[in-house]
Amino acid sequence: MSENQITDDLSQVLRHRREKLEAIVERGMEPFAYNFSPTSSSAATIKAFEAAEAAESLGENGHGTHVKLGGRIVGWRDMGRSVFAHIEDGHGRLQLYFRKNVVGEESFEALSLLDVSDWIGAEGPTFRTQTGEVTVQVESWTLLTKSLRPLPFGKVETDQESGERTVYGGFQDQETRYRQRYADLAVHPDVRDVFRTRSRVISELRRFLDEQGFLEVETPVLQPLYGGASATPFVTHHEALDQTMYLRIADELYLKRLIVGGLDRVYEISKDFRNEGLSRVHNPEFTMLEWYQAFSDYEDQMDLVERMVLHVLDTVIGERVIRLGEQEIPVSVPFRRLGLVSGLSEALHQDVHEMSDEELRAKAEEFEIPDLDGAGRGKLIDKLFGELVEPGLMEPTFVIDHPKELSPLAKSHRGDPRLTERFEMYIGGAEIFNAFSELNDPIDQRERFEAQAAMREAGDNEAQQIDDDYIRALEYGMPPTGGVGMGVDRFVMMLTGQTSIRDVILFPILRTED
RNA sequence: GACCCGGUAGCUCAGUUGGCAGAGCAACUGACUUUUAAUCAGUAGGUCGUGGGUUCGAGCCCCACCCGGGUCACCA
């Protein structure tokens, strides 16, 4: 197929851009420049101009400092012998003003080859227009990158009095926004802000743990046995070893091996993988933070989680409030602590410990909880709690002391052998943290694994596998240890007010196109 | 996996009872030297998600499928 035929197949809009590209090359201009050295950013330019204005140090004609900026054209208004444009440079938006008698005839005519979404460099003095906007009076400009495909910028109206921004048209289609995240980011500054916040949250989590003396480590992503959670793994195969491998579903068992080895405070920020459905709060590939601290128990870890959450709110968000849609959730310590069994007892107006398995099952059926086949006592309690109590846990809440059957890696509760020393921390109705006083008795651990294996035999393919090497590690002796896992994506959702996990993951999993 | 909603121009969307496929913005041509959703005049732009079917005639009705969103289920 010849070049012309390819061009003929393109839509009108794309064809026009190719034609401009040809015209640019014919003029001897470089459509894909090699580098550019700006002297300022749009935000800094506006700030400097306003400062000079306040200090009454503007030059003749009300001109401020001479700046050189690079950015993407996001708006274009052609007035004949002058043009107003807006560029965006990652630090904000700034207006450029081109006049034919300032830039010169040849340079001005070349402006007709520019389009919205091109990258350009421009320089000149700053001034304030009659309508009051800080603007660069362009003296010269250069093309940095010709865009061959227009970005779907909406038109933005800014209300002069309220400063409220209204976007007309724009880029709404969710599917295209996720598939072409580059375009979503290019067009939506608020989407860029979400991911900047995400990055700062992760930096502050690291800084917080580093300052507490934790060591950041890396453990295997490819594992011969998977464990540490109840989930279905992704399965792959190593050719040279001719061996089945699994993508990790959790980091837990490897990190606790390190505690055995004497690395007494460790953490890992990792991608974990679970071969499960997608939802508003589930992506098959997600980011987990896990940490383990020798000599501590789950009470100590509740204190640490409280301090960690406050640290991130203080350093990244700047206020101790979480905003979810219309709701404002104040965050203050200590967080509420709610026994799983006592919370459920309260909701049922009945002491759950006094109820028989049959009574629990009857209750679950009364609330039309599905999929109760083969559910044991622990699962029934958990299901009922999830149905009746969990949705109301908006303020940060530690749900504590889960039934043993549900927690094969947690230590028995020191005061009640039916329970474990465990907490799950909820904010905005979503589980963010999960933690235990870690089970370090290798004999008990083997029994728990065997109970899991029995559940597996019975058809529960998410029950955990027996990990003999892990038992061997525990036999060498793991000190008392508290450990915590945190769903980083969900935490970022809470901090940025996003209601879908896809909106805090740059490239969420989608079915492949075509 | 089940149910609901959606897929029409580059973008945002209309499309009546089945009867020539539409608007706004963007694009293109022209006018305009402080505009800012610039304005004014004109032009062009379509695999109506895909494949079948019914019909003289399908964007619209029927069947199957693909993709996405939401709810539920599943899910430490």
Side-chain angles (χ1 to χ4, degrees):
Chain A
M1 195 184 269
S2 77
E3 184 62 36
N4 280 340
Q5 280 171 314
I6 291 170
T7 308
D8 288 346
D9 286 344
L10 296 175
S11 74
Q12 187 186 53
V13 176
L14 299 187
R15 208 165 53 234
H16 284 142
R17 296 235 169 172
R18 301 262 176 147
E19 285 162 10
K20 286 187 183 182
L21 175 68
E22 281 175 32
I24 285 163
V25 172
E26 275 168 28
R27 265 178 176 266
M29 290 163 65
E30 172 55 65
F32 302 102
Y34 287 83
N35 69 348
F36 184 71
S37 304
T39 60
S40 185
S41 68
S42 58
T45 298
I46 291 168
K47 211 173 157 188
F49 183 86
E50 285 173 346
E53 207 172 38
E56 296 185 0
S57 65
L58 294 178
E60 288 176 69
N61 315 319
H63 280 181
T65 44
H66 185 104
V67 292
K68 186 177 174 191
L69 295 172
R72 166 178 267 142
I73 299 171
V74 298
W76 192 264
R77 291 177 297 283
D78 185 343
M79 311 284 299
R81 279 182 279 279
S82 72
V83 170
F84 288 90
H86 274 99
I87 59 166
E88 218 171 68
D89 67 357
H91 294 87
R93 192 173 270 229
L94 185 67
Q95 183 166 255
L96 304 180
Y97 180 44
F98 301 84
R99 279 176 76 132
K100 191 170 187 174
N101 63 350
V102 174
V103 298
E105 197 158 328
E106 196 181 331
S107 172
F108 192 83
E109 269 164 22
L111 289 177
S112 68
L113 300 173
L114 298 186
D115 289 294
V116 165
S117 27
D118 288 351
W119 292 85
I120 63 167
E123 63 181 303
T126 44
F127 74 109
R128 201 180 274 282
T129 62
Q130 280 178 7
T131 48
E133 182 163 349
V134 177
T135 299
V136 175
Q137 165 82 64
V138 177
E139 291 178 345
S140 66
W141 64 272
T142 180
L143 178 60
L144 298 179
T145 295
K146 182 64 197 166
S147 160
L148 297 181
R149 187 181 287 272
L151 286 163
F153 287 104
K155 293 213 167 186
V156 181
E157 184 180 29
T158 311
D159 189 285
Q160 290 295 337
E161 280 166 30
S162 66
E164 209 170 301
R165 297 175 79 220
T166 314
V167 179
Y168 298 85
F171 192 29
Q172 297 300 319
D173 186 75
Q174 282 293 357
E175 179 177 356
T176 316
R177 289 179 54 198
Y178 293 141
R179 288 195 192 282
Q180 303 184 25
R181 180 68 91 182
Y182 36 86
D184 186 32
L185 288 163
V187 164
H188 295 128
D190 50 328
V191 174
R192 294 200 293 271
D193 284 342
V194 166
F195 290 101
R196 287 202 177 95
T197 299
R198 180 184 171 114
S199 175
R200 285 163 58 210
V201 167
I202 291 171
S203 293
E204 288 303 329
L205 291 171
R206 275 208 169 87
R207 192 152 73 94
F208 177 83
L209 288 168
D210 290 344
E211 283 171 359
Q212 307 291 318
F214 284 83
L215 182 74
E216 183 171 8
V217 297
E218 294 177 273
T219 64
V221 177
L222 278 176
Q223 305 181 345
L225 277 180
Y226 59 95
S230 300
T232 309
F234 285 89
V235 185
T236 185
H237 187 257
H238 187 276
E239 297 297 338
L241 296 178
D242 188 22
Q243 181 179 305
T244 300
M245 304 291 279
Y246 305 93
L247 295 185
R248 64 177 161 202
I249 58 172
D251 312 358
E252 173 149 358
L253 300 182
Y254 280 96
L255 291 171
K256 287 196 284 195
R257 283 172 170 95
L258 299 179
I259 299 286
V260 170
L263 297 175
D264 60 354
R265 293 185 180 200
V266 293
Y267 74 96
E268 180 165 15
I269 296 174
S270 61
K271 279 288 183 68
D272 288 1
F273 306 85
R274 297 187 185 176
N275 208 337
E276 292 163 358
L278 292 80
S279 83
R280 205 172 58 73
V281 288
H282 294 90
N283 194 62
E285 170 182 339
F286 64 103
T287 302
M288 176 90 102
L289 163 62
E290 290 191 32
W291 71 85
Y292 294 84
Q293 179 182 354
F295 312 135
S296 74
D297 64 11
Y298 78 141
E299 292 280 352
D300 298 316
Q301 293 308 319
M302 282 189 255
D303 296 341
L304 192 68
V305 164
E306 286 177 347
R307 286 192 286 129
M308 173 183 268
V309 169
L310 290 187
H311 173 80
V312 173
L313 283 172
D314 290 348
T315 54
V316 180
I317 307 301
E319 57 179 352
R320 295 186 175 183
V321 171
I322 283 169
R323 296 173 202 281
L324 276 184
E326 299 294 295
Q327 290 194 74
E328 276 195 18
I329 305 167
V331 178
S332 60
V333 290
F335 298 158
R336 180 179 173 209
R337 294 173 196 212
L338 179 66
L340 191 150
V341 171
S342 55
L344 181 59
S345 297
E346 201 176 304
L348 293 174
H349 307 293
Q350 203 171 350
D351 186 346
V352 169
H353 281 315
E354 302 290 313
M355 294 170 74
S356 67
D357 291 8
E358 288 67 33
E359 286 174 306
L360 282 169
R361 179 170 293 273
K363 272 289 172 199
E365 278 163 6
E366 186 183 322
F367 288 103
E368 295 178 345
I369 295 172
D371 208 41
L372 294 169
D373 293 352
R377 182 178 183 83
K379 192 146 194 173
L380 290 169
I381 292 173
D382 188 55
K383 288 268 185 188
L384 278 165
F385 186 87
E387 178 74 18
L388 300 176
V389 186
E390 227 175 81
L393 301 178
M394 300 311 290
E395 62 173 306
T397 304
F398 291 115
V399 174
I400 62 173
D401 301 340
H402 298 56
K404 206 173 212 170
E405 174 193 326
L406 297 173
S407 316
L409 300 166
K411 224 167 172 157
S412 293
H413 195 281
R414 62 197 81 179
D416 186 341
R418 294 167 297 188
L419 304 177
T420 54
E421 295 199 354
R422 173 173 176 189
F423 69 79
E424 292 178 301
M425 200 273 253
Y426 288 80
I427 307 178
E431 179 196 340
I432 312 283
F433 294 88
N434 180 41
F436 323 127
S437 295
E438 302 295 339
L439 177 56
N440 61 346
D441 173 347
I443 295 167
D444 189 356
Q445 183 66 78
R446 179 172 289 283
E447 285 168 4
R448 305 271 199 109
F449 275 149
E450 278 166 358
Q452 291 284 312
M455 286 164 64
R456 216 181 163 71
E457 291 282 307
D460 182 351
N461 54 13
E462 291 192 340
Q464 302 193 20
Q465 299 175 299
I466 298 178
D467 188 334
D468 289 312
D469 178 71
Y470 178 67
I471 303 276
R472 176 166 61 194
L474 291 186
E475 286 170 350
Y476 284 116
M478 181 170 82
T481 297
V484 182
M486 171 191 190
V488 174
D489 310 282
R490 290 183 186 176
F491 188 53
V492 174
M493 283 171 66
M494 295 301 132
L495 296 175
T496 56
Q498 300 301 310
T499 53
S500 170
I501 199 166
R502 294 184 189 91
D503 293 321
V504 299
I505 293 174
L506 281 167
F507 299 100
I509 290 201
L510 296 175
R511 224 180 272 270
T512 41
E513 278 179 284
D514 299 328

